[in-house]
Amino acid sequence: TEALCTAVATEQPTNLSVRLLLFDLAFRAGKLPAMERILEELYQIERGGPLWHYGTAVKLAVLAREQGKTELYGKARQHLHEAQI
C-alpha cells in the first residue's frame, strides 16, 4: 500500500488524499521521520492549512508520549484549534 501511494504521490504532487493516507500509514507504523516528511509536503501544498495543523498535532502527541514531554500536548491542542478554524 505504501509503495503504491508513494508512486501516486510522486505523480500527483498536490494530491492531499494520498498524502493523508501515507501519513496514516506512517503513524500506524511509528515512522516519525516519514510523518515529518509528509507534513513538509502538506505544508508546501496547503501553506499551513487545516490538514497540516492536524498532522502536526498528531506528531506532537506522538512525541509527547514517546519522550514524556507533556508540554507538547498543549502545543498539539493549539494546532487542533487552528485546524478547526
Side-chain angles (χ1 to χ4, degrees), residues 20-79:
L20 289 176
L21 181 55
L22 283 168
F23 185 83
D24 185 56
L25 290 170
F27 169 69
R28 291 173 188 258
K31 296 180 179 177
L32 190 60
M35 290 172 64
E36 291 173 340
R37 178 183 49 77
I38 296 161
L39 283 172
E40 289 175 18
E41 292 174 9
L42 283 173
Y43 188 84
Q44 293 302 315
I45 297 168
E46 282 198 318
R47 296 290 176 208
L51 297 175
W52 177 81
H53 279 290
Y54 171 77
T56 301
V58 170
K59 180 192 87 165
L60 288 169
V62 168
L63 286 172
R65 184 185 62 219
E66 287 180 357
Q67 299 174 1
K69 295 182 177 179
T70 57
E71 68 274 8
L72 293 178
Y73 287 121
K75 291 181 180 183
R77 276 191 297 277
Q78 289 173 342
H79 279 282

Side-chain angles (χ1 to χ4, degrees), residues 9-26:
T10 301
E11 292 295 319
Q12 299 176 9
T14 60
N15 186 326
L16 290 171
S17 298
V18 74
R19 279 165 181 78
L20 289 176
L21 181 55
L22 283 168
F23 185 83
D24 185 56
L25 290 170

